[in-house]
Amino acid sequence: MIRTAVFITTNLMIMLLIGFFLVITGMYSHNVAKMMFSACCIGFGGSFASLFLSQWIAIRSVNGRIIEKPSNEYEHWLVNTIQNQVNMVGVKMPKVVIYPANDINAFATGSKRNQSLVAVSSGLLQNMNNSEVEAVLAHEISHIDNGDMVMMTLIQGVLNTFVVFFASIIATVISTIIANIFFSNIKNHENNKHLTALNSTISSALMNILGTFASIVAMWFSRRREFHADAGAAKLVGAEKMIAALERLKTSKEPNEPNNIITFCIHGKRNSWFELFMSHPPLDQRIDALRKQYFKSTIK
């Protein structure tokens, strides 16, 4: 979390410095402070709203059922296993959810470490043995312990802010130049109409372009957190169990979880044509990383 805070603070300071530079040099004469404030509100507003509503959204997105009281032996085992793991890492018991899905998957979400949710698919319960399920649960508990949901929200908020801020500035500069060249002889009120329409078009296009680059950064962080969660699970239940669980994931059907959920799942979609846009590292990379870590630990 310290590194995340440093990242966010650094990037916001960069944005402030760029804003002051534009004002001082006269390169951009509009209200930069107002634009920065608006960009922050838009950038962080959506991210934090989705974070605080994440449990409500997640349960309804996957049609999940909260285990209020375990109704059978396996549900008792599931709840007790999660309780033991959260006791080990020192966080409060999350809500436990089971949702209908044929693929082997699970995810964790929540706005705080001590107010979280762990959901597992029916496909996971049907196709994994207890030790593999235990490893998957440990992976999700590691996400909670690491504060990954909050970290990804903050990172996405910063990236969204940059996208809105720079798209607005660049669009205003470009549209002003074009308007001065092509619309200089038109009356002022008509000029303003053309300028507004042009600014809106250019800004939308730039947000799409800059948003693509921002998603590459966000997905890089997402892939890194999967490696960390795998390592955290290996510490809780052992590397062998985590490796076995990842091997089992290779036999799973393609995940069908909604796009707003899949980033938080242990198993991401494999149909991405380019790894830069993947939210999860390939399973073989995750297995190799654990094997290297386990091999080093056994030597020591």
Side-chain angles (χ1 to χ4, degrees), residues 27-166:
M27 294 175 63
Y28 189 83
S29 58
H30 296 264
N31 193 336
V32 175
K34 183 179 179 180
M35 184 172 290
M36 284 191 289
F37 178 76
S38 298
C40 286
C41 289
I42 295 171
F44 282 100
S47 296
F48 277 107
S50 63
L51 176 65
F52 288 116
L53 295 173
S54 60
Q55 292 190 33
W56 183 85
I57 293 171
I59 293 172
R60 281 153 184 78
S61 295
V62 299
N63 194 26
R65 173 177 63 88
I66 300 175
I67 302 178
E68 301 286 357
K69 292 183 179 180
S71 60
N72 54 54
E73 183 178 348
Y74 196 82
E75 289 185 2
H76 275 286
W77 176 86
L78 189 67
V79 171
N80 289 336
T81 301
I82 294 175
Q83 183 68 71
N84 290 335
Q85 291 181 357
V86 296
N87 288 342
M88 292 172 67
V89 299
V91 298
K92 291 184 178 179
M93 182 68 181
K95 294 177 183 175
V96 182
V97 172
I98 297 176
Y99 65 94
N102 293 326
D103 61 303
I104 304 172
N105 228 329
F107 65 87
T109 189
S111 59
K112 297 179 182 179
R113 291 172 71 248
N114 290 320
Q115 294 179 6
S116 56
L117 173 151
V118 172
V120 296
S121 69
S122 56
L124 178 143
L125 300 177
Q126 294 165 4
N127 295 287
M128 280 188 161
N129 60 41
N130 284 4
S131 65
E132 291 165 349
V133 174
E134 185 182 356
V136 170
L137 296 175
H139 175 97
E140 301 307 329
I141 297 304
S142 293
H143 275 311
I144 294 171
D145 185 40
N146 294 335
D148 284 337
M149 292 78 74
V150 177
M151 181 192 75
M152 286 302 298
T153 298
L154 292 174
I155 289 171
Q156 193 62 62
V158 170
L159 293 172
N160 291 344
T161 299
F162 265 84
V163 168
V164 173
F165 179 67
F166 285 110

Side-chain angles (χ1 to χ4, degrees), residues 272-278:
S272 179
W273 62 274
F274 200 41
E275 189 174 329
L276 284 175
F277 295 97
M278 292 174 62

Side-chain angles (χ1 to χ4, degrees), residues 8-21:
I8 293 169
T9 303
T10 301
N11 282 278
L12 290 177
M13 289 302 297
I14 291 172
M15 188 175 74
L16 286 171
L17 288 173
I18 292 173
F20 286 131
F21 174 78

Side-chain angles (χ1 to χ4, degrees), residues 166-199:
F166 285 110
S168 299
I169 286 182
I170 296 171
T172 301
V173 172
I174 293 175
S175 58
T176 300
I177 292 173
I178 293 176
N180 289 336
I181 295 174
F182 295 101
F183 307 137
S184 58
N185 295 326
I186 302 178
K187 293 180 180 179
N188 286 337
H189 70 279
E190 293 181 357
N191 195 339
N192 288 336
K193 290 181 180 178
H194 286 291
L195 184 61
T196 301
L198 187 62
N199 187 296

